[in-house]
Amino acid sequence: GDVYKRQGDNDGVYENFLTAVDLEARRFVVSREGPTEVPQSYLRDGDALTRITDNQNYATDLVSAERHTFMIRRTDGFEYRVQVTLPNDFRAGEARPAMFWFYPREYTSQEDYLESLRTYNRNSFPRFGTRSIEYLIREGYVIVQPDLPIVGPEMDYRNDNYVRDLRNGLASVIDTVAARGWVDRHRLGIGGHSYGAFGTANAMINTPFFKAGIAGDGNYNRTLTPLSFQSERRIFWEAPHVYTDMSPFFRADDMTGALLMYHGLFDQNVGTFPIHSPRMYHALNGLGKDAAMYLYPWEDHGPQAKETLLDLWA
């Protein structure tokens, strides 16, 4: 069910302490916000509140969009969360093209995963950054942002299930959102940044679901990070099968759909050195796959410059 459903009326306010003005007199500056209420700073004098900022909501259509956050069950019984954002002109029953955006994470159990949900604040104001995929609702896309748990009974062996959990997790999400009449399962794209880019390439190689992908500042060959990666603590020589099975580069010939890669040429993240994207692109291009690559000068692990961001969105 929609245990995290949040849309329409403001059903609560989140107040956060910012600074003390006078502790003894109980005078503080606090921030208050809600699902449709932009954060504002207030002077709290006991129970009295005086607003001292006039922040504006510059993405009213994104904030007011119908948003569903709920739990689904994978074929192995594991439950995890997905958020779906519908375009403002969406009509019930019309299946739209969808864009998935995700970042796989590793867990040891269902309880371990549920523990991570305790930080979810249902009364927070939706925040959109320069690369927030929700902007695509303006182009008519349904946005699907699933948690993608990779689960293993022991900390050191979770990634043995990476490909299986990635494939089964995405399949269950697609089945669920398609059954609700929100998306056309034959018009799906997927994307992510960093480890999400890695997951994007893997999704397009290990599943037949996606027509196109966007992968930013990714790693596509885990043997180039042989002394562990992400939460994987085994080194390459202890578990070579994990490093090769999880590397999209080694199965580039199985890529389905068109992949767009972007990468900052000054990416200093040890796991996503800029060599990854050109090597993956050369492989895909040589194999006759549909691929494009944009390398951005002076950018680190994620674009910052106005020129880069405008180019990326274009």
Side-chain angles (χ1 to χ4, degrees):
D2 287 353
V3 295
Y4 295 102
K5 188 173 181 180
R6 186 185 73 189
Q7 61 185 99
D9 294 337
N10 184 346
D11 58 353
V13 174
Y14 171 60
E15 182 171 310
N16 185 37
F17 171 83
L18 295 180
T19 190
V21 176
D22 187 332
L23 286 173
E24 293 185 359
R26 296 182 60 218
R27 299 179 72 230
F28 311 96
V29 176
V30 299
S31 173
R32 290 170 61 86
E33 63 186 272
T36 58
E37 181 181 335
V38 69
Q40 303 285 0
S41 294
Y42 290 80
L43 176 64
R44 175 173 282 286
D45 190 349
D47 293 330
L49 284 170
T50 303
R51 200 173 87 174
I52 57 178
T53 60
D54 187 25
N55 299 323
Q56 301 298 310
N57 175 10
Y58 293 104
T60 55
D61 58 332
L62 272 63
V63 172
S64 63
E66 186 174 336
R67 192 172 289 107
H68 300 263
T69 306
F70 55 95
M71 302 292 284
I72 64 174
R73 187 187 300 271
R74 206 164 58 188
T75 54
D76 62 358
F78 198 93
E79 294 185 338
Y80 53 106
R81 186 177 61 178
V82 60
Q83 183 178 91
V84 177
T85 306
L86 303 177
N88 288 299
D89 62 350
F90 183 83
R91 298 292 180 267
E94 59 169 342
R96 292 286 190 94
M99 188 67 190
F100 281 57
W101 199 262
F102 78 132
Y103 190 102
R105 288 181 169 85
E106 299 83 8
Y107 302 92
T108 56
S109 64
Q110 180 74 74
E111 291 71 24
D112 184 27
Y113 170 75
L114 293 175
E115 179 80 15
S116 72
L117 299 185
R118 292 188 178 183
T119 59
Y120 177 79
N121 180 2
R122 71 192 309 270
N123 291 321
S124 64
F125 182 77
R127 287 165 169 78
F128 307 103
T130 52
R131 284 183 287 110
S132 293
I133 202 65
E134 287 92 341
Y135 292 114
L136 286 182
I137 68 169
R138 294 172 175 173
E139 300 296 322
Y141 288 89
V142 171
I143 303 303
V144 182
Q145 298 180 84
D147 288 346
L148 223 300
I150 308 300
V151 186
E154 297 181 53
M155 182 75 72
D156 292 340
Y157 297 95
R158 290 175 293 185
N159 279 326
D160 289 347
N161 301 324
Y162 179 86
V163 173
R164 182 200 69 188
D165 286 353
L166 182 77
R167 180 178 58 245
N168 292 346
L170 289 170
S172 294
V173 172
I174 293 169
D175 287 345
T176 301
V177 295
R180 292 192 175 202
W182 291 331
V183 307
D184 180 348
R185 64 188 308 137
H186 301 295
R187 294 190 292 168
L188 304 178
I190 190 168
H193 187 82
S194 191
Y195 206 58
F198 172 73
T200 294
N202 265 308
M204 296 177 66
I205 283 172
N206 291 290
T207 80
F209 306 138
F210 303 101
K211 303 297 185 186
I214 302 172
D217 289 88
N219 180 315
Y220 310 106
N221 184 347
R222 296 264 55 135
T223 68
L224 297 181
T225 51
L227 301 177
S228 78
F229 61 90
Q230 206 72 359
S231 69
E232 179 59 57
R233 294 297 171 259
R234 292 168 292 179
I235 64 175
F236 172 78
W237 296 273
E238 294 173 329
H241 67 286
V242 171
Y243 283 74
T244 54
D245 290 351
M246 291 179 66
S247 294
F249 180 84
F250 289 101
R251 292 187 55 198
D253 56 331
D254 291 330
M255 175 74 69
T256 59
L259 180 65
L260 182 150
M261 294 179 288
Y262 66 88
H263 215 124
L265 285 174
F266 277 37
D267 189 343
Q268 299 179 75
N269 184 35
V270 67
T272 56
F273 194 69
I275 195 174
H276 282 280
S277 291
R279 292 295 180 261
M280 186 64 173
Y281 174 76
H282 292 157
L284 294 171
N285 189 48
L287 291 165
K289 303 294 184 178
D290 291 327
M293 178 181 65
Y294 291 81
L295 302 178
Y296 291 116
W298 309 110
E299 295 286 12
D300 198 348
H301 189 61
Q304 299 291 327
K306 177 181 178 180
E307 295 84 355
T308 302
L309 292 165
L310 291 177
D311 184 81
L312 182 60
W313 276 106

